[in-house]
Amino acid sequence: MTGTPRTERRTERKMLRVLEGEAIGPPPAWMMRQAGRYLPEYRATRAEAGSFLDLCYSPDFAVEVTLQPIRRFGFDAAILFSDILVVPHALGQDVRFVEGEGPRLDPLDGREAFARLREAGDPAIVSHLAPVFETVKRLRAELPGETTLLGFCGAPWTVASYMIGGRGTPDLAPARALAEGDTALVDALIDRLVTVQTAYLVRQLEAGADAVQIFESHAGTLPRAVPASAGGIDPVDDVAESALPGSATADALTRWSLRPIARMIAGVRAKVPGAKIIVFARGSGLDGHARVVPETGADAVGVDWAVDLKALRGHVPAATVTQGNLHPDTLVAGGDALDAAVDAVLEATAGLPHVFNLGHGITPQTPVAHVERMLARLRR
């Protein structure tokens, strides 16, 4: 592909064509967490790298693990290997990953902790994240020309919930309580994350990502729709509300999830016109999923496994691009159940723009042979 113009190479990428609204059969496929512990080659590289954050911040290792599932399965998209918590780390919050337990952060439990975070324009943030941008640059150079490269970040509410709670909690009680107890503080944190993560996605796109995904992993666990704080404690120069898509009705999903995401998307496109963006709003239900594209301006909605994909397609315009939503447990089970589930996704999206994926990340216990079977069924 040496010497081929970038615009011509992009037209080969089936996933980008779907994000433009084209229906392709069979649909392009990738998996959330496709570079992960179910792969023996990932486990070997992870052991060599040392800590999980070392794996994220070393371009050599991050490129290698991103490429592993592409080499093995020929997915239509590669997603940057990193983690949503590199952003709070770049903001100056202590982040560490405990083996067998997951991420741990020093909880942001009040205004004093917030004051210790770096300001949005601090050049140390970009310096901290420079290895991520280098990874993206190298990946675009090494990936096959037909493979779409995805960047990503977490949605502001999801990232804020980890920053406040210091870890993932089932009900996000610390974050929800702080949102009601000191709304101005949580609004300021959301504003900081909108600004920083908008710039983060722009730099990923400038480094070579073809599209990006915003992960709202906690769209189903939100605070009440309390009124916005008057003036806040960290005012930002942001996109005007009148310029944002969708309804201004401030229910909890709009207030804490979709509106901050819409601000990010508008900010990204102000710098990268036409940027392709997917939003995965896990736990938001059928109605929430149907609202993602019109309320955020996203190009596609990632569908979680709990939503009936056929029902969702009946609730959105035919031109809406969907992604998902095979249950990860069905992939673990394999056999006839897996075949039937793949067929159900294909039936629900026949003739419509769709990207085949799971309804959440692949689990470590998934047999590699089951991924092979899934793809063989999809591509037959």
Side-chain angles (χ1 to χ4, degrees), residues 29-44 46 65-75 77-79 81 328 331-332 357-358 360-375:
W30 68 283
M31 298 188 305
M32 290 181 281
R33 295 186 190 157
Q34 64 188 24
R37 288 177 289 168
Y38 74 105
L39 288 175
E41 56 265 43
Y42 170 88
R43 296 194 296 270
R46 168 74 171 80
V65 294
T66 302
L67 293 175
Q68 286 168 353
I70 304 303
R71 296 190 197 110
R72 184 184 275 269
F73 303 116
F75 285 119
I79 185 164
F81 184 86
L331 187 56
V332 173
N357 206 314
L358 305 184
H360 195 32
I362 186 171
T363 57
Q365 68 269 30
T366 305
V368 168
H370 292 188
V371 179
E372 294 169 340
R373 179 169 181 153
M374 176 190 74
L375 292 172

Side-chain angles (χ1 to χ4, degrees), residues 246-247 249-255 258 284-297 301 312 316:
S247 168
T249 304
D251 67 356
L253 185 63
T254 294
R255 167 74 168 88
L258 299 184
S284 61
L286 179 64
D287 175 68
H289 280 71
R291 291 164 54 188
V292 164
V293 169
E295 288 200 29
T296 69
V301 54
L312 176 64
V316 298

Side-chain angles (χ1 to χ4, degrees), residues 123-208:
I125 297 173
V126 175
S127 297
H128 184 101
L129 296 170
V132 177
F133 310 134
E134 176 64 20
T135 297
V136 174
K137 180 181 177 181
R138 292 194 201 178
L139 281 168
R140 187 61 275 168
E142 295 192 32
L143 281 166
E146 68 273 13
T147 306
T148 298
L149 175 58
L150 300 174
F152 76 94
C153 72
W157 167 250
T158 288
V159 177
S161 71
Y162 278 101
M163 294 178 74
I164 295 166
R167 60 189 297 176
T169 57
D171 59 1
L172 305 189
R176 291 189 297 110
L178 189 61
E180 298 207 26
D182 192 345
T183 305
L185 172 59
V186 177
D187 280 342
L189 178 57
I190 294 287
D191 287 344
R192 184 79 54 93
L193 290 168
V194 166
T195 303
V196 170
Q197 295 194 133
T198 297
Y200 181 48
L201 292 183
V202 167
R203 286 184 176 268
Q204 290 182 45
L205 290 161
E206 291 175 342

Side-chain angles (χ1 to χ4, degrees), residues 85-369:
L85 298 182
V86 298
V87 169
H89 202 207
L91 283 168
Q93 189 172 21
D94 183 65
V95 178
R96 56 211 176 272
F97 285 77
V98 179
E99 198 66 35
E101 296 183 16
R104 295 291 182 271
L105 302 84
D106 289 347
L108 193 158
D109 53 5
R111 297 193 176 201
E112 185 176 332
F114 179 79
R116 290 195 292 268
L117 297 179
R118 292 183 175 120
E119 297 290 339
D122 192 326
I125 297 173
V126 175
S127 297
H128 184 101
L129 296 170
V132 177
F133 310 134
E134 176 64 20
T135 297
V136 174
K137 180 181 177 181
R138 292 194 201 178
L139 281 168
R140 187 61 275 168
E142 295 192 32
L143 281 166
E146 68 273 13
T147 306
T148 298
L149 175 58
L150 300 174
F152 76 94
C153 72
W157 167 250
T158 288
V159 177
S161 71
Y162 278 101
M163 294 178 74
I164 295 166
R167 60 189 297 176
T169 57
D171 59 1
L172 305 189
R176 291 189 297 110
L178 189 61
E180 298 207 26
D182 192 345
T183 305
L185 172 59
V186 177
D187 280 342
L189 178 57
I190 294 287
D191 287 344
R192 184 79 54 93
L193 290 168
V194 166
T195 303
V196 170
Q197 295 194 133
T198 297
Y200 181 48
L201 292 183
V202 167
R203 286 184 176 268
Q204 290 182 45
L205 290 161
E206 291 175 342
D210 296 302
V212 293
Q213 177 157 312
I214 299 173
F215 286 86
E216 182 69 284
S217 302
H218 299 318
T221 315
L222 299 165
R224 292 185 309 116
V226 294
S229 53
I233 62 172
D234 188 37
V236 293
D237 181 17
D238 204 359
V239 177
E241 285 286 316
S242 61
L244 298 177
S247 168
T249 304
D251 67 356
L253 185 63
T254 294
R255 167 74 168 88
W256 298 108
S257 178
L258 299 184
R259 187 59 46 166
I261 291 171
R263 290 164 57 197
M264 286 181 60
I265 290 175
V268 169
R269 293 207 179 114
K271 298 291 187 180
V272 186
K276 296 301 174 189
I277 303 173
I278 307 161
V279 171
F280 178 61
R282 176 172 169 251
S284 61
L286 179 64
D287 175 68
H289 280 71
R291 291 164 54 188
V292 164
V293 169
E295 288 200 29
T296 69
D299 296 284
V301 54
V303 186
D304 73 36
W305 58 262
V307 170
D308 184 315
L309 185 55
K310 190 171 184 178
L312 176 64
R313 293 290 345 184
H315 277 71
V316 298
T320 301
V321 181
T322 49
Q323 176 180 276
N325 72 332
L326 187 80
H327 199 309
D329 290 350
T330 306
L331 187 56
V332 173
D336 292 342
L338 175 58
D339 292 345
V342 171
D343 292 349
V345 172
L346 293 176
E347 179 186 355
T349 59
L352 299 168
H354 183 74
V355 176
F356 188 92
N357 206 314
L358 305 184
H360 195 32
I362 186 171
T363 57
Q365 68 269 30
T366 305
V368 168

Side-chain angles (χ1 to χ4, degrees), residues 1 4 7-15 17 144-147:
M1 298 300 298
T4 304
T7 53
E8 291 183 19
R9 293 201 305 266
R10 285 172 63 92
T11 63
E12 300 174 3
R13 297 169 194 160
K14 291 201 300 181
M15 182 165 171
R17 288 162 53 195
E146 68 273 13
T147 306

